[in-house]
């Protein structure tokens, strides 16, 4: 018998929700049921799959209030929860529009005149998705939607820290018979995720490097593909030619949106010496304007720290920085208010790479700002990390692009920050320990769920092999 898991409310600190993980045998049975149903889903054809997903979209629109309420309870923030649902619905439409172009078979001639290539692809039968707590709905469906359109069945295990959204989402799913047979969500912690990997044909994981390693190792033992999007310590480089007004506003948004609880957050900022003082003074001025969403959720822009263990990490990073002579200009404290953990936007200077706040993932609204004297120094500092998810460069377009080409990261925003949270067209791969596997952006985000097959068709009537007479 599996033990129930109590779930903490990030605004009140109370454990007010319980989930019950499925026993390993029941999870295996669910996976077998999904795999059996997948053949019918694949045979429906793409047009019918698109129709089913659009029916789901209408059901979500009808049940939107309950879904919003659950996401707010999961995360303690309102505006980002609304945006999360909007982004999910937009993703449904986007992939339904793109899939017909991306899933076409084709024929072509080959280098041998009488051999024709017929290229097709078949979906993986059952995809497992293990998703994190910072964007519970969006990151549990970012891989799910393209996998479904490809013809896969999908089983999703969201984080046990933010699982409340699953119940209203399943209620919408159950109104679409064709979809509920090949998609389900299971609740549980790490043990459930590990059991899931043992029962699927491909796994997508979003989360920490430490857990990502375990997922990769488990997938390797099963000899199945693993697509991992892991941590980040995203740098921003502010060149002397940068528009400081633009840069400070973009950096602030990229650092504190969702209280900095995003792998795409800007977590370290390198500024040319000549503009350093002006830059950080403007950043501090703008950071002071942001308010906590407390005591009422509508009161401000900065929500609570969702995971209690993350509050301890943020506090540790700040204490470590201060002990090594960093200067805090605003924020700088992890506060407990009404039972929840909070941190105001924090700007630090006098920082260096001996500090955790410059080298380890903080996952909070923390903006350490460091000066550089030469562009080569800024590039070296940006690359001095085990991570390589994304980055930002501000300056004249030509200079910024030249710098961006030298940064070891998969997606680099030019004169803006964290654009990969908004733009989905560009394919990107993580560098270093920030992930592995095919891109979850661009066309590859869908085609990676297909195994390619090539039919090599001999078109002439000669009975002997083509090479026989050449001997």
């Amino acid at each position: 018998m599996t033990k129930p898991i109590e779930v903490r409310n990030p605004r009140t600190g109370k454990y007010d929700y319980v989930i019950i993980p499925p026993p390993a045998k029941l999870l295996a049975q669910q996976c077998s049921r999904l795999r059996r149903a997948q053949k019918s889903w694949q045979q429906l054809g793409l047009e019918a799959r698109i129709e089913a997903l659009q029916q789901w979209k209408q059901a979500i629109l009808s049940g939107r209030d309950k879904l919003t309420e659950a996401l707010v309870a999961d995360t303690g923030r309102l505006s980002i929860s609304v945006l999360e649902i909007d982004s999910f619905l937009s993703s449904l439409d986007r992939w339904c529009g793109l899939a017909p172009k991306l899933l076409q078979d084709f024929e072509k001639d080959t280098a041998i005149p009488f051999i024709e290539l017929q290229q097709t692809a078949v979906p993986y039968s059952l995809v497992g998705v293990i998703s994190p707590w910072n964007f519970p709905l969006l990151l549990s469906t970012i891989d799910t939607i393209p996998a479904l359109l490809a013809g896969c069945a999908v089983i999703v295990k969201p984080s046990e820290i933010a699982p409340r959204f699953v119940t209203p989402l399943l209620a919408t799913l159950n109104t679409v018979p064709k979809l509920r047979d090949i998609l389900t969500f299971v609740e549980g912690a790490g043990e459930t995720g590990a059991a899931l990997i043992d029962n699927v044909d491909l796994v997508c994981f979003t989360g920490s490097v430490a857990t990502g390693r375990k997922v990769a190792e488990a997938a390797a033992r099963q000899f199945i593909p693993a697509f991992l999007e892991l941590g980040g310590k995203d740098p921003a480089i502010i060149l002397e030619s940068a528009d400081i007004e633009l840069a400070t506003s973009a950096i602030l948004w990229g650092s504190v949106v969702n209280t900095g609880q995003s792998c795409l957050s800007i977590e370290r900022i390198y500024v040319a010496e000549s503009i350093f003082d002006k830059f950080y003074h403007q950043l501090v001025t703008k950071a002071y304007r942001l308010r906590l969403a407390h005591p009422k959720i509508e009161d401000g822009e900065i929500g609570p720290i969702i995971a209690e263990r993350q509050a301890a990490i943020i506090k540790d990073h700040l204490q470590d920085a201060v002990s090594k002579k960093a200067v805090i200009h605003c924020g700088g404290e992890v506060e407990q208010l009404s039972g929840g953990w909070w941190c105001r936007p924090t700007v630090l200077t006098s920082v260096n790479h001996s500090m955790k706040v410059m080298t380890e993932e903080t996952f909070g609204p923390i903006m350490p700002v460091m000066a550089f004297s030469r562009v080569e120094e800024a590039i070296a500092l940006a690359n001095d990390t085990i991570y390589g998810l994304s980055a930002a460069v501000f300056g004249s377009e030509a200079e910024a692009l030249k710098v961006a080409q030298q940064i070891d990261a998969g997606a680099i925003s030019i004169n803006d920050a964290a654009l990969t949270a908004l733009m989905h067209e560009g394919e990107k791969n993580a560098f270093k320990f920030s992930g592995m596997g095919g891109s979850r952006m661009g066309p590859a985000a869908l085609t990676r769920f297909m195994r390619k097959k090539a039919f090599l068709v001999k078109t002439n009537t000669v009975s002997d092999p083509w090479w026989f007479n050449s001997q």
Side-chain angles (χ1 to χ4, degrees), residues 399-422:
E399 187 183 11
L401 282 168
K402 184 177 179 181
V403 170
Q405 289 167 356
Q406 301 173 71
I407 296 176
D408 298 332
I412 302 168
S413 301
I414 306 297
N415 289 320
D416 211 328
L419 285 178
T420 49
L422 305 171

Side-chain angles (χ1 to χ4, degrees), residues 199-432:
N199 288 280
V200 299
D201 305 303
L202 178 155
V203 62
C204 297
F205 172 81
T206 307
S208 70
V209 172
T211 305
R213 279 180 178 273
K214 295 177 182 177
V215 171
E217 291 167 359
R221 286 193 295 271
Q222 295 295 115
F223 218 70
I224 63 172
F227 299 127
L228 312 178
E229 178 134 332
L230 309 179
K233 190 69 181 175
D234 291 2
I237 295 176
I238 319 300
L239 301 169
E240 191 174 22
S241 58
D243 179 330
I244 295 177
E245 180 67 28
L246 168 69
T248 49
S249 293
I251 290 292
L252 181 63
W253 181 87
S255 301
V256 308
V257 67
N258 197 35
T259 316
Q261 298 167 119
S262 170
C263 55
L264 302 173
S265 292
I266 297 297
E267 291 214 358
R268 50 201 174 104
I269 306 159
Y270 305 102
V271 184
E273 280 181 342
S274 60
I275 61 171
F276 179 79
D277 286 349
K278 186 175 181 181
F279 176 90
Y280 90 76
H281 283 134
Q282 280 200 27
L283 187 63
V284 170
T285 299
K286 293 178 180 180
Y288 263 121
R289 297 173 188 161
L290 299 178
R291 303 156 300 156
L292 298 182
H294 181 273
K296 293 187 294 185
I297 201 168
E298 302 87 356
D299 284 347
E301 303 81 10
I302 306 298
I305 300 165
I306 298 170
E308 189 166 30
R309 64 173 178 255
Q310 201 64 43
I313 291 171
I314 296 169
K315 186 175 182 179
D316 175 57
H317 285 197
L318 290 172
Q319 289 175 341
D320 174 72
V322 170
S323 73
K324 295 172 181 174
K325 308 305 182 186
V327 177
I328 293 176
H329 297 274
C330 59
E333 182 182 359
V334 177
E335 310 171 59
Q336 190 169 34
L337 303 171
S338 305
W341 293 104
W342 304 77
C343 184
R344 300 173 195 272
T346 299
V347 177
L348 304 92
T349 58
S350 299
V351 294
N352 58 62
H353 279 219
S354 73
M355 301 174 183
K356 295 178 182 179
V357 78
M358 294 297 285
T359 57
E360 299 180 13
E361 189 172 36
T362 307
F363 227 58
I366 313 300
M367 294 163 279
V369 188
M370 182 176 177
F372 66 85
S373 57
R374 296 177 301 108
V375 172
E376 294 76 14
E377 178 191 1
I379 295 168
L381 288 166
N383 288 336
D384 181 24
T385 178
I386 66 168
Y387 299 105
L389 193 60
S390 49
V393 183
F394 292 80
S396 67
E397 185 175 323
E399 187 183 11
L401 282 168
K402 184 177 179 181
V403 170
Q405 289 167 356
Q406 301 173 71
I407 296 176
D408 298 332
I412 302 168
S413 301
I414 306 297
N415 289 320
D416 211 328
L419 285 178
T420 49
L422 305 171
M423 306 295 294
H424 304 276
E425 288 82 2
E427 293 189 3
K428 65 182 181 69
N429 295 115
F431 284 52
K432 303 178 184 177

Side-chain angles (χ1 to χ4, degrees), residues 107-163:
E107 299 178 2
K108 61 181 293 187
D109 295 332
T110 69
I112 302 172
F114 49 85
I115 302 294
E116 179 186 82
L117 169 64
Q118 296 180 14
Q119 190 78 59
T120 188
V122 295
Y124 286 89
S125 181
L126 180 58
V127 169
V129 174
I130 303 172
S131 58
W133 48 261
N134 53 327
F135 291 95
L137 173 65
L138 194 60
L139 292 180
S140 67
T141 56
I142 191 170
D143 300 308
T144 298
I145 295 168
L148 290 170
L149 285 164
C152 311
V154 182
I155 183 166
V156 184
K157 192 213 78 70
S159 170
E160 70 277 14
I161 293 172

